[in-house]
Amino acid sequence: VLDKLLPARRELVVCCALSEAQRASYTAALALLRELQESGGGGGGPEHLSAIMRLRSICSSGRATPRDEDGAACDGSPTSAAQTSAAAGEVGKAAALLGLMPAVAAAGDRVVVCCQFQSSLDLIEAGLSRLGLGSVRIDGKVPKEKRQELVNRFNAPHSRETAFLLSTKAGGTGFNLTSANRLVLFDPDWNPATDKQAAGRVFRDGQTRDVTIWRLLSAGTLEEKMFQRQVFKGDLADASVGGGGGGRGGGAENRF
């Protein structure tokens, strides 16, 4: 119903090369995963899942130890200063995004950035601050009663905030952020519905401008495989229900 009332939407997939530091960390983590596979047979144990999470975290933030919504290490490991010191220039996707932001701000556009990892939000937030661009942030540590206040602050007509930094898990549903006309899916999820719900924060009733969605992927990594799985699952679902392309921008031909 809303598809006929909403403005145009386009989704661009942007593949970003890993930085040298990321590549070294990713190669080491991948070697560890291969050792686990060779020594343990299958691939469904907690050690394997932890290793896969480590690969995802390196792709997203350059950190080998990801953190959950409350800032704790996902694999139970203690976090150190060395693990939190990665700069945006040392992470391919963050460097690419921050390189675009001055032009986005100059054009009067506003951006919602959705991340799976808090360490990625930290990285982007620090980078925006260095560029002199304002941002607001909602993640698992922000009390629910304060979240709508931050949404209202960002949506205010004369808001000076260029970016809204959003944890995909904490804010993937329920928020109306139609004052932004760009959305960045900074890292993929295994479930395509999660990314679709995140994209719905800006492409929804009340949006008056054309929407552009940037999907950032670390080239030649697990993230590409995750996105391939998303495309396959989405097309399978469309074929099962006879939905064809799944609406404007929904078909696989529009995802690449």
Side-chain angles (χ1 to χ4, degrees):
V1 174
L2 289 177
D3 190 55
K4 299 177 182 179
L5 305 176
L6 292 173
R9 162 185 163 171
R10 64 173 181 166
E11 181 175 324
L12 303 176
V13 177
V14 183
C15 292
C16 306
L18 295 176
S19 68
E20 290 301 320
Q22 274 182 290
R23 189 176 302 280
S25 297
Y26 191 88
T27 300
L30 193 60
L32 176 60
L33 179 58
R34 286 171 176 161
E35 289 179 8
L36 288 171
Q37 289 177 319
E38 292 173 357
S39 62
E47 301 88 355
H48 297 84
L49 297 177
S50 178
I52 290 173
M53 182 66 75
R54 189 175 297 114
L55 290 175
R56 292 180 59 195
S57 180
I58 292 169
C59 291
S60 182
S61 67
R63 287 170 47 97
T65 305
R67 287 183 296 155
D68 62 18
E69 287 295 299
D70 296 318
C74 291
D75 60 0
S77 304
T79 57
S80 66
Q83 291 173 322
T84 60
S85 62
E90 298 172 354
V91 178
K93 291 193 295 184
L97 174 59
L98 293 172
L100 293 169
M101 288 303 298
V104 169
D109 292 345
R110 308 179 76 200
V111 185
V112 175
V113 182
C114 299
C115 297
Q116 300 282 335
F117 299 100
Q118 281 217 23
S119 47
S120 300
L121 293 175
D122 295 341
L123 196 67
I124 298 167
E125 187 174 32
L128 291 171
S129 178
R130 286 194 296 271
L131 292 172
L133 300 176
S135 65
V136 294
R137 171 174 172 171
I138 289 181
D139 56 32
K141 294 185 291 186
V142 177
K144 291 185 178 181
E145 60 271 16
K146 291 187 178 181
R147 295 181 183 183
Q148 189 59 47
E149 178 183 335
L150 293 174
V151 170
N152 294 340
R153 172 180 160 189
F154 181 76
N155 283 334
H158 302 293
S159 174
R160 297 182 180 180
E161 316 296 350
T162 301
F164 196 107
L165 307 181
L166 192 63
S167 164
T168 306
K169 292 182 180 179
T173 59
F175 291 140
N176 186 337
L177 298 170
T178 52
S179 60
N181 60 318
R182 295 183 182 271
L183 183 134
V184 176
L185 294 172
F186 193 75
D187 34 32
D189 190 273
W190 291 107
N191 184 355
T194 300
D195 287 353
K196 286 184 178 181
Q197 288 172 346
R201 300 314 94 216
V202 300
F203 191 66
R204 59 192 297 119
D205 188 25
Q207 180 59 259
T208 59
R209 294 185 287 176
D210 290 351
V211 169
T212 299
I213 296 172
W214 291 330
R215 182 187 289 273
L216 304 187
L217 300 175
S218 293
T221 70
L222 177 67
E223 289 190 342
E224 281 198 21
K225 179 62 66 176
M226 294 176 68
F227 180 60
Q228 291 169 5
R229 294 286 179 89
Q230 281 200 10
V231 172
F232 174 76
K233 289 179 180 179
D235 290 345
L236 184 62
D238 289 340
S240 298
V241 300
R248 203 179 335 183
E253 68 276 5
N254 292 322
R255 292 195 180 104
F256 292 95

